[in-house]
Each structure stands twice: as C-alpha cells, then as structure tokens.
Amino acid sequence: MASSVLYMSMSLDGYIAGPNDEPANPGGDGFGRLHEWISTPDGEYGRPDGPAGELFDEWNATGAVLAGRRTVEQVDHWGGGNHDGVPIFVPSHRPPGPSVANYPLVTYVSDGIESAMAQAKAAAGERDVVVHGGYTAQRALEAGVLDEVQIHQVPVLFGSGRRLFDVLPSRVELEIVRVIDTPEATHIRYRVRR
Amino acid sequence: MGRLIVSAQMTMDSVMDQLDGWFDPDTESEEHGVEELRAAQAVILGRETYEALSAYWPARDGAYAELINPIPKFVASRTLEEPLTWNARLLGADPAEAVAALKEQHRGHLLSYGCGELANHLARRGLVDEVRFWLHPVVWGDGVRPFHAGELPMRMRLIAATTFTAGVVRLSYQPLDH
C-alpha cells in the first residue's frame, strides 16, 4: 500500500526556507545550505554515496507527486515532469495558469486536498506519493492524509525564515520509524499517528 | 563506476552464521534486505557462501527469493569449476582484478554477502566502498565472525549509523587504506 510522505530538509530550529523567500529568490537567503547533503562525491548536486544515496533513491522511486501551488509555480511545474515523469497533483481552488495546458502530467484538483491525495495515491499504485511544499504538508496533516514525514535535519540554526510547522490547529503525535545519522545530516523518518 | 558493498547480518556479539537460530523476522530487517538487494546489479560471493546460499534459496519463494535467485552472481573459488548453478560464474584466478573490472562495467551497486576471506581480500586492496553491519538485538555465543579469514586488523571509518525502531541497527563503514 502506498504511503504519502513529506520529504523536507530542515534546520535544527525548524526552518525550511531562509528570509526573503519569494519567486525571484526561491527558498530565500541561504537556502542552499539545507541541501548541501545532496552532493555527489565530487561535490556536485546529485546522488550522494552511502546511506544518504538510499534516501535519494527512495525519493526518486515515487509513484506520484502532491505539490502545493506556490511550490509548483515557483518552478513552473518542473517543466511538466518531476521524479522521472510521474503524475503531479496540485490542490488549488483557483484555476491553473496558462502553462499547465502544455503539461499532461499536471492535474489541478479543485475539490480539496483529500480528493487530490486520493487521486495521487490511485495514480501511484504500489509506490509512495511524495508531498512537496510546507503549506500543503500542513493541510495534508490537518486533513489526516499525510502518512509519513521524512525530515533531513541539517546541523545549522537559521534563526529566521519560514518554518515547516509553525501553526497547526491541534497536536499531532508522531512515531519514529528510522534514524539515519550521518555527518552531513540526521535523517529521521516519522509515521503520523491517528 | 559501480560501488561494492559488503553487507552482513549479525548478532550483537558478531555471529554471522546460524541464522536459523537467531534471525527474527519481526525485526523487519527482511524487508530492508529486500530493498538492499533490489538496488544491486550483481552479487559477489566466496565459495562457502555460494554453496550455502545456492543450496537454500532456489527452493524458496517470496520477495527475497524472487530477487536473489535470478540476479547474476560471481564466485571466488580455487576449487570449483564452471558451469555453476544459480546464474553464477567464477571470478577467475585473480578475484581482485576481476572485481575491479566488474566495478568498471557497472554503474550501480555490487553486493557481497558472507564477509569472510573474499571480503577481507577485496577490502585490503581498496575495492570495498562500504561495509554494512546489520546488528540484531540478540546475543548468541560461538559462531563465525566478520572478516574471519585473512589479515587483521582492518581499520574503518564510520559513515552512518541507522536505527530501525523495530530493533536492528545498521552501521555503515568505509574501509581505510592499508
């Protein structure tokens, strides 16, 4: 059975974006620091060796993507495909922008996040659904459709920026499933209790 | 360039054999073993491990058996002759040279089980990129220990520690130059 999983690189103080996060500066100031762990042995962005590489593979083996509108518009829907060209579902009450007509894998879902997740899981089959975007992850948690959270906890204190779970309407209990401890980051996988 | 991973399941007191006695499927590690094997393109074995595994797995079914039975295997042996069963071939007179060539030919993982004389030989020649010890929460007693045949000590650097909350801890090491 497919799980819906949020993958997020995060500073120890909970930031997933630096200050001045806007379309011209996606992720805000200093955002790259959160993704330095995704480096090849040559120091390029890409699949790391060792256990961090397995995380990279897990993330790429996804069957569908559920992504927030802000996230997809910042990168223009990844040019229509992401994660090896799997379907992308975007929960949004507003109609999509004009570029989406060119992207057959991108579906805007206007009747709520539960519906968007149900469609993503159906498209993913046995594989997992990767959730992109902080706001969308919060809505998915509230709606009870987020199954797991994979945090890449980076040893840095941002001090300011945008936090992942700033305001939630109620407490959410999590269960630790796996901890991968490396010098570059501590990767903690949680299951959401319901 | 492929990466060679030596992977070994063991008890807290480093016993690798007698799995029938101590391996507990409730610790979920079977699933991790399946994922590890799924990521591999070929398997590299010493003769003893080859003989033990090829006598056991062909008659089994399940996710692991479906992967381990067809995958290409390369075996180091001074005594066996081809043809081998279980989709296996011999590494030839110089296993280290043959494994170096296999690493050149593959882009993904080569997985080695057994962690005995062959693993020791390959690690000392700088051909092993990662050593994984999967520690199970049981103390067993006498048994076969990792890298038991060949020259010791072998020093390593810890590159990651993975805790699976069902009970298994996986330690990932990089062998240092010797």
Side-chain angles (χ1 to χ4, degrees), chain A residues 65 67 77 87-92 96 100 103-109 116 119:
Chain A
V65 172
H77 311 80
I88 299 166
F89 296 86
V90 183
S92 177
V100 173
Y103 303 143
L105 289 171
V106 177
T107 305
Y108 272 63
V109 180
Q119 292 182 45

Side-chain angles (χ1 to χ4, degrees), chain A residues 29-193:
Chain A
D29 302 344
F31 181 62
R33 173 66 188 93
L34 295 178
H35 302 91
E36 282 175 10
W37 68 271
I38 312 173
S39 296
T40 67
D42 302 329
E44 304 283 313
Y45 177 85
R47 187 186 187 283
D49 272 353
E54 291 168 40
L55 283 163
F56 188 85
D57 294 341
E58 267 178 27
W59 186 74
N60 270 309
T62 182
V65 172
L66 182 86
R69 179 161 194 151
R70 187 170 183 279
T71 299
V72 293
E73 289 192 335
Q74 275 195 351
V75 293
D76 191 16
H77 311 80
W78 299 285
N82 193 12
H83 298 266
D84 287 336
V86 299
I88 299 166
F89 296 86
V90 183
S92 177
H93 296 294
R94 289 177 291 123
S99 71
V100 173
N102 304 320
Y103 303 143
L105 289 171
V106 177
T107 305
Y108 272 63
V109 180
S110 62
D111 57 346
I113 193 158
E114 294 93 339
S115 167
M117 185 64 85
Q119 292 182 45
K121 282 202 167 182
E126 292 287 300
R127 294 186 288 169
D128 286 347
V129 174
V130 162
V131 176
H132 280 288
Y135 175 83
T136 302
Q138 288 188 15
R139 301 292 86 75
L141 257 183
E142 288 168 17
V145 295
L146 186 65
D147 301 320
E148 296 188 33
V149 178
Q150 172 69 62
I151 294 292
H152 315 293
Q153 189 186 289
V154 178
V156 59
L157 295 165
F158 262 31
S160 62
R162 199 156 53 81
R163 282 202 166 104
L164 178 53
F165 295 123
D166 233 357
V167 183
L168 289 171
S170 61
R171 180 181 300 200
V172 176
E173 288 286 341
L174 308 172
E175 171 186 349
I176 296 173
V177 181
R178 181 185 66 189
V179 181
I180 303 180
D181 198 5
T182 72
E184 294 77 27
T186 305
H187 307 271
I188 312 173
R189 194 175 183 97
Y190 299 93
R191 189 170 292 134
V192 179
R193 284 208 173 138

Side-chain angles (χ1 to χ4, degrees), chain B residues 161-175:
Chain B
T162 303
T163 308
F164 300 97
T165 49
V168 171
V169 175
R170 185 185 64 189
L171 301 172
S172 301
Y173 296 93
Q174 187 177 55

Side-chain angles (χ1 to χ4, degrees), chain B residues 139-161:
Chain B
V139 179
W140 183 252
D142 288 343
V144 175
R145 294 159 65 200
F147 297 107
H148 49 87
E151 202 181 328
L152 293 174
M154 187 181 308
R155 302 202 184 276
M156 305 203 193
R157 186 172 72 89
L158 181 68
I159 54 174

